[in-house]
Amino acid sequence: MKDVIKHDNFIGSVHFSPEEEVFYGKIEGIDDLVTFEGDSVKELKAAFIDAVNDYIELCETVNKSPFKSYKGSFNVRVHPAIHKQVAYKSLELGLSLNQFVEQAVSEKLEKYN
């Protein structure tokens, strides 16, 4: 994992501004913009946790799901040679291209969980 922190199933991006000498980030995977910052790693983590807790509370108040909803479709760009290999292999296996890619992504996710 790189440049992220986690709390209660939320992920926050982490950046550093050398000009302002501050760590900062935003909560990822939500429909709103919620940012946080701190002068140290300890302060950044505390600010992130506070931001998440405040956001959860706000969402409960307005009866809104805190997490972004996903449609289940996205565009993926790959090298044409890989595209050809995937298309041929999915045909050989009797799968649609979508089924093949979904299985491949699921297998990769299992590896990291």
Side-chain angles (χ1 to χ4, degrees):
M1 210 173 303
K2 186 176 180 183
D3 300 331
V4 297
I5 53 179
K6 290 177 148 185
H7 177 68
D8 280 351
N9 294 318
F10 287 87
I11 295 176
S13 60
V14 175
H15 305 283
F16 178 71
S17 171
E19 299 84 23
E20 297 180 26
E21 296 183 347
V22 67
F23 293 99
Y24 66 96
K26 68 176 185 171
I27 300 175
E28 302 290 345
I30 62 175
D31 289 322
D32 300 295
L33 177 61
V34 178
T35 62
F36 52 92
E37 67 177 53
D39 292 332
S40 67
V41 173
K42 186 175 182 176
E43 284 184 20
L44 179 78
K45 287 181 178 180
F48 172 60
I49 290 169
D50 288 345
V52 167
N53 292 338
D54 289 347
Y55 184 66
I56 291 170
E57 187 178 311
L58 173 67
C59 289
E60 288 173 354
T61 301
V62 297
N63 197 26
K64 169 185 172 173
S65 172
F67 295 102
K68 185 176 191 173
S69 62
Y70 293 90
K71 297 186 311 182
S73 65
F74 58 95
N75 293 324
V76 178
R77 290 173 180 74
V78 297
H79 190 278
I82 293 174
H83 188 172
K84 180 180 177 181
Q85 286 179 310
V86 169
Y88 280 33
K89 186 54 72 177
S90 63
L91 285 170
E92 287 177 23
L93 297 172
L95 300 170
S96 70
L97 189 57
N98 284 338
Q99 290 170 321
F100 185 91
V101 171
E102 182 175 6
Q103 286 179 11
V105 170
S106 293
E107 289 172 14
K108 191 69 166 185
L109 284 172
E110 286 177 20
K111 178 181 174 184
Y112 290 108
N113 286 332

